[in-house]
Amino acid sequence: MKSEFELSNQVKDLKIPYPHKLLLSVELEEHMLYRSQSEDMGGFSGEETSELYEIHNNFIFKFLDRLSPKSRRFFEITILGLPVVGFLIYLIKEDFMIQFIREGGAVMLPILLLGFALSVRELHFFFRTVVVKDHSISSLNIDTSSVLVGGLALLVLGIGATALGIYVSANGVVSGNLPVAIFLTGLKESMGPMIVSSTLSALVLIVHFSTRRMLVAWKAPIRS
Amino acid sequence: MGKTESKRKHAEFLILLALLDGPKHGYEVSKFIEERSNGFFRLPFGTLYPILHRLEKEGFLSIELEDKNSIRPKTVYKLTKSGKNQAHSEVSDFHFFIKATNKLVPI
């Protein structure tokens, strides 16, 4: 026999995603309010808990759940690393992209590193909560402020580097050291950091906030 | 069929019968079964909900949410077309079973 508090905790501890967990928890409360009987106080047996687990979880969750936390993390990072590696191979293979990155100057390196780190982190958040539907407490602890700070830092780096490049080109023309046509080349080359940083920060913010929106729609208790 | 599986099949049949009467909350399904059977059948919480959720996943039931926009929406279970067909087919099998069994019972 379990107390109502223990029954409610049993539902909270079930490994099932939202909104199913919330709906079941409301059903338990309603049931106890209108139909509380001694038979109900046993809660879910092991078999019934497994049945709910089987019904509400997808095969990716079930597969990952069997792995140790270390292997699971390795597997998830490998899966998410594949598109990033694919994109890097594309960058290396395309002469145009190599030229584009080179023209952006040294600032392209921190922009790319920060941008990829934030992208992988947000893709991991999306993968875990939307694709795998792992709605454990740790997965629902969302750090929105660090995403905003990271995205903003990325934009500041890109816009700052572009503005500086434009200033240097304009200064060269104004001081009479360079022909006017060179200004256009300088302008073109300075755009790289802004293009890359704004694209990556937009990607990071879109993934983060759309994932957050989906979790809110599923009534998952996210903690910021 | 094992004992658990047979018990589950019976519970599934009772749930389908309760929902043939009309859409219901989970606790109303349990109440309906117990009251109509004069307390002979009882479906505890732990047995009832996994079966309701399984039937929903199999497409025999649909879920409607009451107070959809509230932070604690309530679930109402309703038979789908295939759920109604399944229920009617199980009722008809049950009648055949009763008829056949009656012929075996000594008077």
PDB file of all heavy atoms in Angstrom, chain A residues 132-170:
ATOM      1  N   VAL A 132      14.669  12.297 -29.004  1.00  0.00           N
ATOM      2  CA  VAL A 132      14.700  11.155 -28.069  1.00  0.00           C
ATOM      3  C   VAL A 132      13.542  11.250 -27.068  1.00  0.00           C
ATOM      4  O   VAL A 132      13.035  10.252 -26.599  1.00  0.00           O
ATOM      5  CB  VAL A 132      16.060  11.127 -27.307  1.00  0.00           C
ATOM      6  CG1 VAL A 132      16.118   9.980 -26.321  1.00  0.00           C
ATOM      7  CG2 VAL A 132      17.207  11.034 -28.286  1.00  0.00           C
ATOM      8  N   LYS A 133      13.117  12.455 -26.790  1.00  0.00           N
ATOM      9  CA  LYS A 133      12.083  12.745 -25.785  1.00  0.00           C
ATOM     10  C   LYS A 133      12.505  12.282 -24.396  1.00  0.00           C
ATOM     11  O   LYS A 133      11.746  11.623 -23.681  1.00  0.00           O
ATOM     12  CB  LYS A 133      10.740  12.139 -26.185  1.00  0.00           C
ATOM     13  CG  LYS A 133      10.141  12.849 -27.379  1.00  0.00           C
ATOM     14  CD  LYS A 133       8.677  12.571 -27.494  1.00  0.00           C
ATOM     15  CE  LYS A 133       8.076  13.426 -28.591  1.00  0.00           C
ATOM     16  NZ  LYS A 133       6.705  13.156 -28.844  1.00  0.00           N
ATOM     17  N   ASP A 134      13.744  12.614 -24.055  1.00  0.00           N
ATOM     18  CA  ASP A 134      14.221  12.359 -22.698  1.00  0.00           C
ATOM     19  C   ASP A 134      13.818  13.571 -21.872  1.00  0.00           C
ATOM     20  O   ASP A 134      14.402  14.643 -22.018  1.00  0.00           O
ATOM     21  CB  ASP A 134      15.749  12.192 -22.730  1.00  0.00           C
ATOM     22  CG  ASP A 134      16.348  12.115 -21.334  1.00  0.00           C
ATOM     23  OD1 ASP A 134      15.595  12.228 -20.344  1.00  0.00           O
ATOM     24  OD2 ASP A 134      17.574  11.931 -21.230  1.00  0.00           O
ATOM     25  N   HIS A 135      12.792  13.416 -21.042  1.00  0.00           N
ATOM     26  CA  HIS A 135      12.312  14.538 -20.244  1.00  0.00           C
ATOM     27  C   HIS A 135      12.635  14.348 -18.767  1.00  0.00           C
ATOM     28  O   HIS A 135      11.807  14.614 -17.896  1.00  0.00           O
ATOM     29  CB  HIS A 135      10.812  14.748 -20.472  1.00  0.00           C
ATOM     30  CG  HIS A 135      10.494  15.143 -21.883  1.00  0.00           C
ATOM     31  ND1 HIS A 135       9.246  15.078 -22.436  1.00  0.00           N
ATOM     32  CD2 HIS A 135      11.301  15.633 -22.866  1.00  0.00           C
ATOM     33  CE1 HIS A 135       9.291  15.498 -23.692  1.00  0.00           C
ATOM     34  NE2 HIS A 135      10.531  15.823 -23.974  1.00  0.00           N
ATOM     35  N   SER A 136      13.855  13.864 -18.525  1.00  0.00           N
ATOM     36  CA  SER A 136      14.296  13.738 -17.146  1.00  0.00           C
ATOM     37  C   SER A 136      14.592  15.135 -16.613  1.00  0.00           C
ATOM     38  O   SER A 136      14.726  16.084 -17.393  1.00  0.00           O
ATOM     39  CB  SER A 136      15.544  12.868 -17.080  1.00  0.00           C
ATOM     40  OG  SER A 136      16.524  13.412 -17.940  1.00  0.00           O
ATOM     41  N   ILE A 137      14.711  15.253 -15.300  1.00  0.00           N
ATOM     42  CA  ILE A 137      14.922  16.575 -14.682  1.00  0.00           C
ATOM     43  C   ILE A 137      16.149  17.254 -15.284  1.00  0.00           C
ATOM     44  O   ILE A 137      16.118  18.431 -15.619  1.00  0.00           O
ATOM     45  CB  ILE A 137      15.048  16.432 -13.153  1.00  0.00           C
ATOM     46  CG1 ILE A 137      13.698  15.983 -12.586  1.00  0.00           C
ATOM     47  CG2 ILE A 137      15.468  17.745 -12.506  1.00  0.00           C
ATOM     48  CD1 ILE A 137      13.701  15.603 -11.137  1.00  0.00           C
ATOM     49  N   SER A 138      17.241  16.480 -15.455  1.00  0.00           N
ATOM     50  CA  SER A 138      18.478  17.108 -15.958  1.00  0.00           C
ATOM     51  C   SER A 138      18.303  17.621 -17.392  1.00  0.00           C
ATOM     52  O   SER A 138      18.837  18.658 -17.757  1.00  0.00           O
ATOM     53  CB  SER A 138      19.638  16.126 -15.872  1.00  0.00           C
ATOM     54  OG  SER A 138      19.351  15.005 -16.655  1.00  0.00           O
ATOM     55  N   SER A 139      17.513  16.910 -18.203  1.00  0.00           N
ATOM     56  CA  SER A 139      17.317  17.357 -19.594  1.00  0.00           C
ATOM     57  C   SER A 139      16.446  18.603 -19.669  1.00  0.00           C
ATOM     58  O   SER A 139      16.507  19.340 -20.643  1.00  0.00           O
ATOM     59  CB  SER A 139      16.642  16.267 -20.413  1.00  0.00           C
ATOM     60  OG  SER A 139      17.447  15.148 -20.458  1.00  0.00           O
ATOM     61  N   LEU A 140      15.612  18.798 -18.644  1.00  0.00           N
ATOM     62  CA  LEU A 140      14.696  19.949 -18.684  1.00  0.00           C
ATOM     63  C   LEU A 140      15.269  21.174 -17.968  1.00  0.00           C
ATOM     64  O   LEU A 140      14.595  22.188 -17.834  1.00  0.00           O
ATOM     65  CB  LEU A 140      13.341  19.568 -18.094  1.00  0.00           C
ATOM     66  CG  LEU A 140      12.558  18.528 -18.902  1.00  0.00           C
ATOM     67  CD1 LEU A 140      11.274  18.136 -18.192  1.00  0.00           C
ATOM     68  CD2 LEU A 140      12.241  19.021 -20.298  1.00  0.00           C
ATOM     69  N   ASN A 141      16.506  21.060 -17.500  1.00  0.00           N
ATOM     70  CA  ASN A 141      17.191  22.229 -16.936  1.00  0.00           C
ATOM     71  C   ASN A 141      17.808  23.000 -18.090  1.00  0.00           C
ATOM     72  O   ASN A 141      18.809  22.594 -18.657  1.00  0.00           O
ATOM     73  CB  ASN A 141      18.309  21.788 -15.980  1.00  0.00           C
ATOM     74  CG  ASN A 141      17.785  21.620 -14.585  1.00  0.00           C
ATOM     75  OD1 ASN A 141      16.823  22.268 -14.193  1.00  0.00           O
ATOM     76  ND2 ASN A 141      18.427  20.751 -13.825  1.00  0.00           N
ATOM     77  N   ILE A 142      17.172  24.100 -18.475  1.00  0.00           N
ATOM     78  CA  ILE A 142      17.592  24.808 -19.686  1.00  0.00           C
ATOM     79  C   ILE A 142      18.309  26.101 -19.325  1.00  0.00           C
ATOM     80  O   ILE A 142      17.809  26.891 -18.531  1.00  0.00           O
ATOM     81  CB  ILE A 142      16.358  25.117 -20.554  1.00  0.00           C
ATOM     82  CG1 ILE A 142      15.670  23.807 -20.919  1.00  0.00           C
ATOM     83  CG2 ILE A 142      16.758  25.871 -21.798  1.00  0.00           C
ATOM     84  CD1 ILE A 142      14.352  24.004 -21.587  1.00  0.00           C
ATOM     85  N   ASP A 143      19.482  26.276 -19.954  1.00  0.00           N
ATOM     86  CA  ASP A 143      20.267  27.473 -19.671  1.00  0.00           C
ATOM     87  C   ASP A 143      20.106  28.463 -20.827  1.00  0.00           C
ATOM     88  O   ASP A 143      20.974  28.586 -21.680  1.00  0.00           O
ATOM     89  CB  ASP A 143      21.731  27.050 -19.489  1.00  0.00           C
ATOM     90  CG  ASP A 143      22.572  28.173 -18.944  1.00  0.00           C
ATOM     91  OD1 ASP A 143      22.003  29.259 -18.700  1.00  0.00           O
ATOM     92  OD2 ASP A 143      23.780  27.978 -18.785  1.00  0.00           O
ATOM     93  N   THR A 144      18.974  29.162 -20.833  1.00  0.00           N
ATOM     94  CA  THR A 144      18.698  30.104 -21.937  1.00  0.00           C
ATOM     95  C   THR A 144      19.639  31.296 -21.890  1.00  0.00           C
ATOM     96  O   THR A 144      20.073  31.791 -22.942  1.00  0.00           O
ATOM     97  CB  THR A 144      17.229  30.567 -21.871  1.00  0.00           C
ATOM     98  OG1 THR A 144      16.409  29.425 -22.067  1.00  0.00           O
ATOM     99  CG2 THR A 144      16.904  31.588 -22.947  1.00  0.00           C
ATOM    100  N   SER A 145      19.985  31.771 -20.688  1.00  0.00           N
ATOM    101  CA  SER A 145      20.813  32.989 -20.625  1.00  0.00           C
ATOM    102  C   SER A 145      22.191  32.762 -21.254  1.00  0.00           C
ATOM    103  O   SER A 145      22.701  33.638 -21.954  1.00  0.00           O
ATOM    104  CB  SER A 145      20.931  33.492 -19.193  1.00  0.00           C
ATOM    105  OG  SER A 145      21.364  32.459 -18.386  1.00  0.00           O
ATOM    106  N   SER A 146      22.772  31.564 -21.060  1.00  0.00           N
ATOM    107  CA  SER A 146      24.097  31.349 -21.661  1.00  0.00           C
ATOM    108  C   SER A 146      23.995  31.245 -23.182  1.00  0.00           C
ATOM    109  O   SER A 146      24.916  31.616 -23.899  1.00  0.00           O
ATOM    110  CB  SER A 146      24.787  30.127 -21.059  1.00  0.00           C
ATOM    111  OG  SER A 146      24.217  28.964 -21.561  1.00  0.00           O
ATOM    112  N   VAL A 147      22.852  30.774 -23.682  1.00  0.00           N
ATOM    113  CA  VAL A 147      22.649  30.718 -25.141  1.00  0.00           C
ATOM    114  C   VAL A 147      22.544  32.138 -25.688  1.00  0.00           C
ATOM    115  O   VAL A 147      23.145  32.479 -26.720  1.00  0.00           O
ATOM    116  CB  VAL A 147      21.360  29.923 -25.493  1.00  0.00           C
ATOM    117  CG1 VAL A 147      21.096  29.932 -26.982  1.00  0.00           C
ATOM    118  CG2 VAL A 147      21.466  28.514 -24.994  1.00  0.00           C
ATOM    119  N   LEU A 148      21.804  32.978 -24.967  1.00  0.00           N
ATOM    120  CA  LEU A 148      21.657  34.376 -25.409  1.00  0.00           C
ATOM    121  C   LEU A 148      23.005  35.098 -25.370  1.00  0.00           C
ATOM    122  O   LEU A 148      23.365  35.805 -26.309  1.00  0.00           O
ATOM    123  CB  LEU A 148      20.652  35.106 -24.509  1.00  0.00           C
ATOM    124  CG  LEU A 148      19.185  34.739 -24.735  1.00  0.00           C
ATOM    125  CD1 LEU A 148      18.299  35.391 -23.688  1.00  0.00           C
ATOM    126  CD2 LEU A 148      18.723  35.158 -26.119  1.00  0.00           C
ATOM    127  N   VAL A 149      23.756  34.876 -24.283  1.00  0.00           N
ATOM    128  CA  VAL A 149      25.072  35.522 -24.163  1.00  0.00           C
ATOM    129  C   VAL A 149      25.999  35.016 -25.268  1.00  0.00           C
ATOM    130  O   VAL A 149      26.689  35.805 -25.928  1.00  0.00           O
ATOM    131  CB  VAL A 149      25.674  35.264 -22.754  1.00  0.00           C
ATOM    132  CG1 VAL A 149      27.134  35.712 -22.694  1.00  0.00           C
ATOM    133  CG2 VAL A 149      24.877  35.998 -21.703  1.00  0.00           C
ATOM    134  N   GLY A 150      25.989  33.706 -25.500  1.00  0.00           N
ATOM    135  CA  GLY A 150      26.839  33.122 -26.548  1.00  0.00           C
ATOM    136  C   GLY A 150      26.481  33.657 -27.926  1.00  0.00           C
ATOM    137  O   GLY A 150      27.351  34.047 -28.704  1.00  0.00           O
ATOM    138  N   GLY A 151      25.163  33.696 -28.216  1.00  0.00           N
ATOM    139  CA  GLY A 151      24.701  34.190 -29.513  1.00  0.00           C
ATOM    140  C   GLY A 151      25.064  35.650 -29.705  1.00  0.00           C
ATOM    141  O   GLY A 151      25.506  36.070 -30.782  1.00  0.00           O
ATOM    142  N   LEU A 152      24.913  36.411 -28.622  1.00  0.00           N
ATOM    143  CA  LEU A 152      25.226  37.844 -28.681  1.00  0.00           C
ATOM    144  C   LEU A 152      26.729  38.053 -28.870  1.00  0.00           C
ATOM    145  O   LEU A 152      27.159  38.900 -29.666  1.00  0.00           O
ATOM    146  CB  LEU A 152      24.756  38.507 -27.384  1.00  0.00           C
ATOM    147  CG  LEU A 152      24.581  40.011 -27.424  1.00  0.00           C
ATOM    148  CD1 LEU A 152      23.461  40.379 -28.391  1.00  0.00           C
ATOM    149  CD2 LEU A 152      24.237  40.553 -26.030  1.00  0.00           C
ATOM    150  N   ALA A 153      27.532  37.254 -28.148  1.00  0.00           N
ATOM    151  CA  ALA A 153      28.998  37.366 -28.263  1.00  0.00           C
ATOM    152  C   ALA A 153      29.422  37.079 -29.707  1.00  0.00           C
ATOM    153  O   ALA A 153      30.290  37.761 -30.268  1.00  0.00           O
ATOM    154  CB  ALA A 153      29.656  36.384 -27.309  1.00  0.00           C
ATOM    155  N   LEU A 154      28.767  36.092 -30.296  1.00  0.00           N
ATOM    156  CA  LEU A 154      29.060  35.715 -31.678  1.00  0.00           C
ATOM    157  C   LEU A 154      28.752  36.883 -32.622  1.00  0.00           C
ATOM    158  O   LEU A 154      29.566  37.235 -33.485  1.00  0.00           O
ATOM    159  CB  LEU A 154      28.166  34.516 -32.015  1.00  0.00           C
ATOM    160  CG  LEU A 154      28.602  33.531 -33.079  1.00  0.00           C
ATOM    161  CD1 LEU A 154      29.962  32.980 -32.763  1.00  0.00           C
ATOM    162  CD2 LEU A 154      27.582  32.391 -33.164  1.00  0.00           C
ATOM    163  N   LEU A 155      27.590  37.498 -32.404  1.00  0.00           N
ATOM    164  CA  LEU A 155      27.192  38.632 -33.245  1.00  0.00           C
ATOM    165  C   LEU A 155      28.129  39.817 -33.068  1.00  0.00           C
ATOM    166  O   LEU A 155      28.537  40.453 -34.042  1.00  0.00           O
ATOM    167  CB  LEU A 155      25.770  39.071 -32.871  1.00  0.00           C
ATOM    168  CG  LEU A 155      24.636  38.439 -33.635  1.00  0.00           C
ATOM    169  CD1 LEU A 155      23.307  39.007 -33.153  1.00  0.00           C
ATOM    170  CD2 LEU A 155      24.767  38.706 -35.133  1.00  0.00           C
ATOM    171  N   VAL A 156      28.490  40.097 -31.801  1.00  0.00           N
ATOM    172  CA  VAL A 156      29.379  41.233 -31.517  1.00  0.00           C
ATOM    173  C   VAL A 156      30.727  41.027 -32.207  1.00  0.00           C
ATOM    174  O   VAL A 156      31.257  41.942 -32.832  1.00  0.00           O
ATOM    175  CB  VAL A 156      29.545  41.416 -29.979  1.00  0.00           C
ATOM    176  CG1 VAL A 156      30.681  42.376 -29.657  1.00  0.00           C
ATOM    177  CG2 VAL A 156      28.253  41.923 -29.378  1.00  0.00           C
ATOM    178  N   LEU A 157      31.232  39.790 -32.114  1.00  0.00           N
ATOM    179  CA  LEU A 157      32.515  39.475 -32.764  1.00  0.00           C
ATOM    180  C   LEU A 157      32.423  39.718 -34.269  1.00  0.00           C
ATOM    181  O   LEU A 157      33.286  40.364 -34.863  1.00  0.00           O
ATOM    182  CB  LEU A 157      32.849  38.003 -32.540  1.00  0.00           C
ATOM    183  CG  LEU A 157      33.805  37.618 -31.425  1.00  0.00           C
ATOM    184  CD1 LEU A 157      33.914  36.099 -31.347  1.00  0.00           C
ATOM    185  CD2 LEU A 157      35.176  38.223 -31.650  1.00  0.00           C
ATOM    186  N   GLY A 158      31.375  39.176 -34.875  1.00  0.00           N
ATOM    187  CA  GLY A 158      31.212  39.281 -36.330  1.00  0.00           C
ATOM    188  C   GLY A 158      30.995  40.712 -36.779  1.00  0.00           C
ATOM    189  O   GLY A 158      31.681  41.194 -37.694  1.00  0.00           O
ATOM    190  N   ILE A 159      30.061  41.407 -36.109  1.00  0.00           N
ATOM    191  CA  ILE A 159      29.752  42.784 -36.522  1.00  0.00           C
ATOM    192  C   ILE A 159      30.968  43.679 -36.261  1.00  0.00           C
ATOM    193  O   ILE A 159      31.335  44.512 -37.097  1.00  0.00           O
ATOM    194  CB  ILE A 159      28.493  43.303 -35.787  1.00  0.00           C
ATOM    195  CG1 ILE A 159      27.270  42.528 -36.278  1.00  0.00           C
ATOM    196  CG2 ILE A 159      28.305  44.806 -36.023  1.00  0.00           C
ATOM    197  CD1 ILE A 159      25.998  42.811 -35.517  1.00  0.00           C
ATOM    198  N   GLY A 160      31.636  43.476 -35.113  1.00  0.00           N
ATOM    199  CA  GLY A 160      32.818  44.279 -34.771  1.00  0.00           C
ATOM    200  C   GLY A 160      33.916  44.102 -35.809  1.00  0.00           C
ATOM    201  O   GLY A 160      34.502  45.081 -36.295  1.00  0.00           O
ATOM    202  N   ALA A 161      34.185  42.812 -36.172  1.00  0.00           N
ATOM    203  CA  ALA A 161      35.264  42.542 -37.135  1.00  0.00           C
ATOM    204  C   ALA A 161      34.916  43.122 -38.504  1.00  0.00           C
ATOM    205  O   ALA A 161      35.776  43.702 -39.186  1.00  0.00           O
ATOM    206  CB  ALA A 161      35.477  41.029 -37.247  1.00  0.00           C
ATOM    207  N   THR A 162      33.655  43.016 -38.902  1.00  0.00           N
ATOM    208  CA  THR A 162      33.238  43.564 -40.201  1.00  0.00           C
ATOM    209  C   THR A 162      33.362  45.091 -40.199  1.00  0.00           C
ATOM    210  O   THR A 162      33.916  45.694 -41.139  1.00  0.00           O
ATOM    211  CB  THR A 162      31.783  43.139 -40.509  1.00  0.00           C
ATOM    212  OG1 THR A 162      31.764  41.719 -40.624  1.00  0.00           O
ATOM    213  CG2 THR A 162      31.267  43.748 -41.794  1.00  0.00           C
ATOM    214  N   ALA A 163      32.865  45.718 -39.124  1.00  0.00           N
ATOM    215  CA  ALA A 163      32.926  47.182 -39.045  1.00  0.00           C
ATOM    216  C   ALA A 163      34.376  47.661 -39.072  1.00  0.00           C
ATOM    217  O   ALA A 163      34.715  48.635 -39.754  1.00  0.00           O
ATOM    218  CB  ALA A 163      32.227  47.653 -37.781  1.00  0.00           C
ATOM    219  N   LEU A 164      35.233  46.934 -38.365  1.00  0.00           N
ATOM    220  CA  LEU A 164      36.658  47.320 -38.322  1.00  0.00           C
ATOM    221  C   LEU A 164      37.279  47.191 -39.713  1.00  0.00           C
ATOM    222  O   LEU A 164      38.031  48.077 -40.153  1.00  0.00           O
ATOM    223  CB  LEU A 164      37.401  46.426 -37.321  1.00  0.00           C
ATOM    224  CG  LEU A 164      38.838  46.808 -37.026  1.00  0.00           C
ATOM    225  CD1 LEU A 164      38.898  48.142 -36.278  1.00  0.00           C
ATOM    226  CD2 LEU A 164      39.523  45.728 -36.178  1.00  0.00           C
ATOM    227  N   GLY A 165      36.938  46.088 -40.409  1.00  0.00           N
ATOM    228  CA  GLY A 165      37.460  45.876 -41.771  1.00  0.00           C
ATOM    229  C   GLY A 165      37.020  46.985 -42.710  1.00  0.00           C
ATOM    230  O   GLY A 165      37.824  47.513 -43.496  1.00  0.00           O
ATOM    231  N   ILE A 166      35.755  47.372 -42.603  1.00  0.00           N
ATOM    232  CA  ILE A 166      35.237  48.448 -43.468  1.00  0.00           C
ATOM    233  C   ILE A 166      35.955  49.758 -43.136  1.00  0.00           C
ATOM    234  O   ILE A 166      36.362  50.510 -44.020  1.00  0.00           O
ATOM    235  CB  ILE A 166      33.698  48.598 -43.295  1.00  0.00           C
ATOM    236  CG1 ILE A 166      32.996  47.338 -43.802  1.00  0.00           C
ATOM    237  CG2 ILE A 166      33.177  49.828 -44.041  1.00  0.00           C
ATOM    238  CD1 ILE A 166      31.507  47.276 -43.512  1.00  0.00           C
ATOM    239  N   TYR A 167      36.164  49.998 -41.832  1.00  0.00           N
ATOM    240  CA  TYR A 167      36.835  51.230 -41.406  1.00  0.00           C
ATOM    241  C   TYR A 167      38.261  51.285 -41.963  1.00  0.00           C
ATOM    242  O   TYR A 167      38.683  52.305 -42.505  1.00  0.00           O
ATOM    243  CB  TYR A 167      36.867  51.305 -39.870  1.00  0.00           C
ATOM    244  CG  TYR A 167      37.660  52.491 -39.367  1.00  0.00           C
ATOM    245  CD1 TYR A 167      37.099  53.768 -39.341  1.00  0.00           C
ATOM    246  CD2 TYR A 167      38.989  52.341 -38.965  1.00  0.00           C
ATOM    247  CE1 TYR A 167      37.840  54.869 -38.920  1.00  0.00           C
ATOM    248  CE2 TYR A 167      39.732  53.425 -38.548  1.00  0.00           C
ATOM    249  CZ  TYR A 167      39.156  54.691 -38.518  1.00  0.00           C
ATOM    250  OH  TYR A 167      39.904  55.767 -38.117  1.00  0.00           O
ATOM    251  N   VAL A 168      38.979  50.161 -41.857  1.00  0.00           N
ATOM    252  CA  VAL A 168      40.363  50.118 -42.335  1.00  0.00           C
ATOM    253  C   VAL A 168      40.404  50.374 -43.857  1.00  0.00           C
ATOM    254  O   VAL A 168      41.227  51.163 -44.337  1.00  0.00           O
ATOM    255  CB  VAL A 168      41.025  48.762 -41.982  1.00  0.00           C
ATOM    256  CG1 VAL A 168      42.365  48.581 -42.675  1.00  0.00           C
ATOM    257  CG2 VAL A 168      41.196  48.648 -40.471  1.00  0.00           C
ATOM    258  N   SER A 169      39.475  49.741 -44.593  1.00  0.00           N
ATOM    259  CA  SER A 169      39.449  49.943 -46.057  1.00  0.00           C
ATOM    260  C   SER A 169      39.125  51.397 -46.389  1.00  0.00           C
ATOM    261  O   SER A 169      39.778  52.021 -47.236  1.00  0.00           O
ATOM    262  CB  SER A 169      38.385  49.060 -46.706  1.00  0.00           C
ATOM    263  OG  SER A 169      38.570  47.747 -46.317  1.00  0.00           O
ATOM    264  N   ALA A 170      38.111  51.946 -45.705  1.00  0.00           N
ATOM    265  CA  ALA A 170      37.711  53.331 -45.977  1.00  0.00           C
ATOM    266  C   ALA A 170      38.834  54.292 -45.614  1.00  0.00           C
ATOM    267  O   ALA A 170      39.108  55.248 -46.340  1.00  0.00           O
ATOM    268  CB  ALA A 170      36.448  53.655 -45.184  1.00  0.00           C
TER     269      ALA A 170
END
